[in-house]
Amino acid sequence: MASSFTLGVFLLSALATVHCGTVKVWGLRGSGLNGDAAGNQPDCYVRVWCAGRDGGQTYIIDNNRNPSWSSVFTFTDVAESAASLKLELWDKDLKYNDHLGTCSHSISHGSHWGQCSMKKGSLSYSYSFE
């Protein structure tokens, strides 16, 4: 009886173990982007979230339909069960910023490349989850 109790406790503790890792996001690149309705070249930036945590944003690249950012975002202690990534692409304007699109999906261990279609154009990125 005592051994089955010990085995049960062991199994419950193993199930309760949460595996965490580090997520890095880099290589953000826009392609064929348009800003406002007038078709002006956008002044773009990207906001990044992982597992619901706000990682901040890239710097703004002015007047460029094909921007590329060198920013790297690092998220530590990301639970495997909550491993999701969300990227929002914005066009900075004087009065109101234009939301050009959102990309979100679950992520998996290893290094990967992704691409999302935006309202006009696309956003590509790389990430790793270790």
Side-chain angles (χ1 to χ4, degrees):
M1 175 109 170
S3 63
S4 61
F5 175 77
T6 304
L7 179 60
V9 170
F10 174 76
L11 288 174
L12 285 175
S13 68
L15 290 173
T17 302
V18 175
H19 298 282
C20 293
T22 299
V23 175
K24 289 187 181 184
V25 181
W26 74 94
L28 297 163
R29 178 180 304 257
S31 178
L33 304 175
N34 280 324
D36 54 32
N40 295 324
Q41 290 198 40
D43 304 321
C44 290
Y45 65 95
V46 179
R47 293 196 52 80
V48 180
W49 286 267
C50 182
R53 289 186 282 173
D54 187 351
Q57 69 182 49
T58 64
Y59 48 91
I60 297 167
I61 297 181
D62 293 327
N63 300 315
N64 194 326
R65 284 188 165 83
N66 302 298
S68 179
W69 295 270
S70 61
S71 303
V72 177
F73 299 88
T74 302
F75 301 87
T76 57
D77 296 323
V78 176
E80 195 170 8
S81 61
S84 63
L85 190 61
K86 179 173 133 180
L87 308 169
E88 288 185 350
L89 181 63
W90 291 87
D91 174 24
K92 176 76 173 155
D93 287 327
L94 291 176
K95 208 170 191 183
Y96 300 104
N97 296 345
D98 298 315
H99 181 231
L100 302 181
T102 299
C103 173
S104 58
H105 70 278
S106 297
I107 58 177
S108 58
H109 282 279
S111 293
H112 305 275
W113 176 86
Q115 184 172 11
C116 298
S117 294
M118 297 290 135
K119 291 178 183 174
K120 293 185 180 176
S122 64
L123 178 67
S124 61
Y125 57 93
S126 295
Y127 77 87
S128 65
F129 184 21
E130 300 173 351

